Amino acid sequence: MMITTRTLTPRTAFPKHRIATAAAFCMIGLASLGLSACGGGGSSDNTQVVPVPTPLPEPTKLIAPPTTAGTLAQSGEVAQDSVKATTAAAADLVRRSEDPSHLFLPFGGLMSGRQNSPKPSAAEPERRKILETTTVSCSSLGISVIRNCSGSIVVDTNVSNSATSLPAGSYISMRFDKISGIADGQSLSIDGSMRIDFLTAISNLDNPGNNVRLQLSFDKLSASAGGESFGPLTAVALLEVDGQGKPSLTLNGVQYAGLNELSVTDANNYSLGHSKLRSAHWSDSKAYVDTQFSNWQTSNGRPLQGSSATLTTGKDSALITVESSSSSQVSYRVQLSSGGVAKNYQVLASYSGSTLSYSVKAL
């Protein structure tokens, strides 16, 4: 089973934001299994069978967005609310790109068959066996990205190291016990548990293809790297890869897509390529609204001129375009379309210190 780690490529305006923690999570977790297609891991000399630990508590149930489309009336109030929802959605995408669940986005590359992992070593067949519950020391993993690695990982899986396919129902569970070391010149620590459940069968681990679904469970998972901390996170996420190889992540009632198209410097400086999310409608928690971004760029907390996004709810839509932007005011043009009729509004967002106010007029 191969894994491709995406590198976020920022636009010229923003320096590269490195997410060392995410990469370390992936490499530690998969290398600890020694799965043949991972091309890494320690030898059997450093792995010991231990008694089955007390089962982890059942994680919270997956919370998905509503399945009923909302509506968008044609009014100044809806135009203003659409702008607020768009900027909130952009901020949510940025937050999600930097939390522990982001570490699973490289599975998008895995599932679409893009492969760049090394081939297994000649010694690999010697340690191919069904993994029972095993404890693996961090120092035995041989992961070059982490230096001075200490701590251990308890691994439980029903996947054979020699497996070339996975039936639906296969799982991999990992409990990190005070993992620490140095990654990218920064101190790194990981604690807590995560589990991967394969909800669809994979016929070829070397080329899993598309139309794949994984459930990702976190239990008190926390990490720190370079002074930044994450968690503890207890949640269930759903990773889906569609027929075109595009991954989406569902977590806490929101479905995210195109997270690999983000370029993030910090919460006030970022760009979104064609990222998308589906969440509950701001005025109806039982209905959803889709937000699709197109070259949305934010600098110093202000969306830049030319940025655009489209909100859709069933047959209704709102096209939002940033017409002008300064430190004190951002002007949005909002086109609300319903039943083949379009109405246009201008929404002005005015900034005064920490105060943000809006005004609306029909065009």
Side-chain angles (χ1 to χ4, degrees):
M1 183 166 57
M2 297 189 175
I3 187 164
T4 300
T5 301
R6 296 181 184 273
T7 299
L8 300 182
T9 304
R11 300 180 185 277
T12 305
F14 306 121
K16 185 175 182 180
H17 181 68
R18 308 180 72 178
I19 308 179
T21 306
F25 262 122
C26 284
M27 297 187 73
I28 288 178
L30 294 178
S32 68
L33 299 174
L35 291 175
S36 59
C38 289
S43 68
S44 59
D45 294 338
N46 294 304
T47 301
Q48 56 179 331
V49 177
V50 298
V52 177
T54 302
L56 294 172
E58 286 296 319
T60 55
K61 184 179 179 180
L62 175 72
I63 303 174
T67 56
T68 301
T71 58
L72 293 175
Q74 293 177 312
S75 68
E77 181 181 4
V78 171
Q80 177 177 305
D81 288 342
S82 297
V83 168
K84 291 181 178 180
T86 299
T87 54
D92 192 8
L93 279 161
V94 171
R95 284 192 299 270
R96 185 60 60 218
S97 75
E98 297 186 293
D99 71 16
S101 63
H102 183 62
L103 70 98
F104 287 100
L105 292 178
F107 275 93
L110 157 69
M111 295 307 169
S112 59
R114 291 182 287 277
Q115 306 166 12
N116 68 354
S117 297
K119 295 296 181 182
S121 67
E124 194 73 26
E126 297 179 5
R127 56 189 182 85
R128 289 182 176 177
K129 59 184 178 66
I130 296 291
L131 281 173
E132 299 177 28
T133 301
T134 61
T135 296
V136 185
S137 66
C138 185
S139 60
S140 73
L141 295 178
I143 305 174
S144 59
V145 74
I146 303 178
R147 296 185 292 106
N148 304 327
C149 193
S150 64
S152 62
I153 305 172
V154 176
V155 182
D156 183 25
T157 181
N158 59 0
V159 179
S160 169
N161 282 20
S162 58
T164 58
S165 63
L166 289 176
S170 300
Y171 72 89
I172 300 167
S173 175
M174 290 162 281
R175 189 176 71 209
F176 301 97
D177 185 12
K178 298 180 175 58
I179 295 292
S180 64
I182 304 296
D184 288 338
Q186 301 176 338
S187 61
L188 168 73
S189 66
I190 308 173
D191 206 42
S193 305
M194 67 180 184
R195 174 174 166 137
I196 306 170
D197 285 276
F198 296 84
L199 304 182
T200 53
I202 296 177
S203 59
N204 184 354
L205 288 179
D206 284 337
N207 189 3
N210 304 323
N211 296 312
V212 176
R213 301 173 76 236
L214 306 177
Q215 180 171 288
L216 317 169
S217 304
F218 307 87
D219 186 70
K220 299 177 183 177
L221 184 65
S222 62
S224 65
E228 295 185 20
S229 297
F230 305 98
L233 176 68
T234 298
V236 177
L238 176 66
L239 178 65
E240 300 174 280
V241 183
D242 65 16
Q244 287 71 49
K246 297 180 180 180
S248 65
L249 180 74
T250 300
L251 181 65
N252 294 335
V254 182
Q255 183 182 51
Y256 305 86
L259 282 171
N260 55 304
E261 296 190 38
L262 273 71
S263 175
V264 181
T265 299
D266 55 40
N268 293 313
N269 298 276
Y270 54 85
S271 63
L272 313 178
H274 292 84
S275 303
K276 179 180 179 180
L277 62 76
R278 170 172 288 189
S279 58
H281 193 289
W282 58 84
S283 64
D284 184 358
S285 61
K286 296 181 179 180
Y288 72 79
V289 57
D290 288 329
T291 305
Q292 174 76 65
F293 292 92
S294 178
N295 192 30
W296 186 275
Q297 299 186 61
T298 296
S299 179
N300 295 321
R302 309 291 187 267
L304 298 182
Q305 182 177 354
S307 298
S308 65
T310 302
L311 277 64
T312 56
T313 58
K315 297 181 180 180
D316 301 339
S317 67
L319 173 61
I320 298 171
T321 306
V322 179
E323 294 193 315
S324 64
S325 179
S326 68
S327 60
S328 61
Q329 191 173 77
V330 178
S331 176
Y332 302 87
R333 183 185 183 91
V334 181
Q335 183 180 79
L336 295 172
S337 300
S338 180
V341 177
K343 292 187 178 181
N344 294 287
Y345 300 84
Q346 181 191 56
V347 178
L348 290 177
S350 300
Y351 298 81
S352 179
S354 59
T355 302
L356 172 60
S357 59
Y358 293 90
S359 61
V360 186
K361 71 175 181 179
L363 298 176

